Amino acid sequence: MTPAVRSVLVVGAGVAGCAAAVLLARSGVEVEVVEARPGTTDTGSGITLQGNALRVLRDLGAWPEVSARGFAFDSLGLRAPDAAGTLLAEVPDVRTGGPDLPATLGMSRPALAGIVLDLAVEAGARLRLGVAATGLEQDADGVDVTFSDAAARRYDLVVGADGIRSWTRRTVGIDAEPEGTGMGIWRVSLPRPADVVRTDLTYGGPCHIAGYCPTGPDSVYAYLVEDVQDRSGLTRAEQVEVVRGLASAYHGPWDALRDSLTADTPVNYTRFETHLVEGPWHRGRVVLVGDAVHSCPPTIAQGAAQALEDSAVLADLLLQAPVWDEDVLVRYADRRRDRARQVVDASVQIGRWMLDRTPREQADVPGLLRRISALVEVPA
């Protein structure tokens, strides 16, 4: 079957954009990917991938390398903010990707980005790093795009996968901007202590959440969630000392993690933000995926999964359509919107309960997580 689109530009070479590129290029679509950043297409420390994300990565052909480079586990630990970091419970996690995939896998965020990027190139997508789209003009038959290197080209479709501050979203006039939720998160990548074999979370103490996730045989990323503050202007050494001070309230594996901090440890601080495009996810022949169209705080670790599902659903519908019809993009958003909304709302709700210091008996976090697990267990 001839695809409904024969040439596609993907703006953004992150996980969502490269996933769309893989699926379309493998089916004979001419795909070009542009990324404004000149080098590594993703930064940061680690990422937690739940089973529904792993399911899409397996469909892309990424699973063998992801499983080899990441750290898989099937339970979640809950610890007390006491002098021993007492393990209160180890809760079995749901294998939302199916019985043949682990419940959760942690890995380096740049490593995941590199794996999916390499697959896109292997599938035949043309990659241009250090090049930004600078203009879009479309008519009924295609989209004319200009670029920062003075090139210009026409495409059947443009996929905006350029993140939470999407240039594509703003350029086509989709009015939805992220808003802060009131929390900020410190993240650091550190050597993995031998007793860190899954994600453990501690609620209480000076932070809302103190957690860590193993990202490989020798690595872990640790994170501390606080009321959002202006942390700009700190030197790296000062950032490390803030992390060390916050982490001093937590023990058990946190003692070894804290001891491994040095003045040169890379530290990342970001604010929790959220948005969801309520109206159409496209304008004409330009469509959005991933964080360009919805974002949520990482309280239930579904951001990457939802982005991957967007790309998989969009590619599936495009490849099934025998001729171009804008209704394909309408059906894409209709198929994805409610699922994404439930995930976004749940992520924000958990944070709101913590910010409001809602009593545990009134904040049904376990029930909310069970509902989201049941939702994403069903393929998108």
Side-chain angles (χ1 to χ4, degrees), residues 85-260:
T86 304
L87 181 64
L88 301 174
E90 182 179 356
V91 183
D93 215 345
V94 179
R95 292 191 168 202
T96 57
D100 54 342
L101 289 169
T104 312
L105 179 138
M107 70 181 305
S108 158
R109 186 179 291 269
L112 174 64
I115 290 169
V116 185
L117 180 68
D118 288 346
L119 284 175
V121 173
E122 290 171 13
R126 181 188 179 205
L127 173 66
R128 294 202 290 153
L129 295 177
V131 176
T134 57
L136 296 173
E137 294 288 342
Q138 61 176 312
D139 54 36
D141 299 318
V143 189
D144 293 306
V145 186
T146 56
F147 299 96
S148 57
D149 62 356
R153 193 176 168 197
R154 186 172 176 83
Y155 304 88
D156 291 340
L157 181 73
V158 173
V159 177
D162 46 347
I164 192 169
R165 309 199 192 287
S166 170
W167 171 88
T168 309
R169 182 182 69 233
R170 294 166 177 170
T171 299
V172 298
I174 295 178
D175 184 19
E177 291 298 324
E179 298 180 350
T181 69
M183 288 178 161
I185 183 169
W186 294 98
R187 294 183 176 98
V188 291
S189 291
L190 297 166
R192 183 180 72 87
D195 55 351
V196 172
V197 294
R198 64 178 175 264
T199 288
D200 285 343
L201 300 177
T202 304
Y203 296 98
C207 296
H208 295 290
I209 307 171
Y212 45 75
C213 174
T215 53
D218 303 313
S219 61
V220 61
Y221 84 97
Y223 46 92
L224 297 150
V225 180
E226 63 176 8
D227 288 342
V228 71
Q229 301 181 45
D230 182 3
R231 297 293 195 176
S232 62
L234 297 178
T235 66
R236 176 176 290 185
E238 289 170 336
Q239 289 177 325
V240 170
E241 287 310 306
V242 172
V243 171
R244 192 190 309 278
L246 292 172
S248 66
Y250 305 100
H251 299 284
W254 272 104
D255 294 329
L257 293 171
R258 188 172 53 254
D259 289 346
S260 67

Side-chain angles (χ1 to χ4, degrees), residues 48-50 52-54 56 301-310 336:
T48 302
L49 300 166
Q50 295 185 348
N52 58 317
L54 302 179
V56 179
Q302 273 289 314
Q306 293 306 300
L308 286 164
E309 289 183 354
D310 284 351
R336 290 291 302 142

Side-chain angles (χ1 to χ4, degrees), residues 236-310:
R236 176 176 290 185
E238 289 170 336
Q239 289 177 325
V240 170
E241 287 310 306
V242 172
V243 171
R244 192 190 309 278
L246 292 172
S248 66
Y250 305 100
H251 299 284
W254 272 104
D255 294 329
L257 293 171
R258 188 172 53 254
D259 289 346
S260 67
L261 288 167
T262 72
D264 296 324
T265 299
V267 178
N268 174 264
Y269 186 77
T270 54
R271 298 166 182 253
F272 283 5
E273 294 180 299
T274 186
H275 79 294
L276 173 69
V277 174
E278 291 289 354
W281 288 11
H282 75 286
R283 293 290 187 273
R285 287 175 174 261
V286 180
V287 65
L288 305 177
V289 297
D291 283 354
V293 72
H294 50 70
S295 63
C296 56
T299 46
I300 59 174
Q302 273 289 314
Q306 293 306 300
L308 286 164
E309 289 183 354
D310 284 351

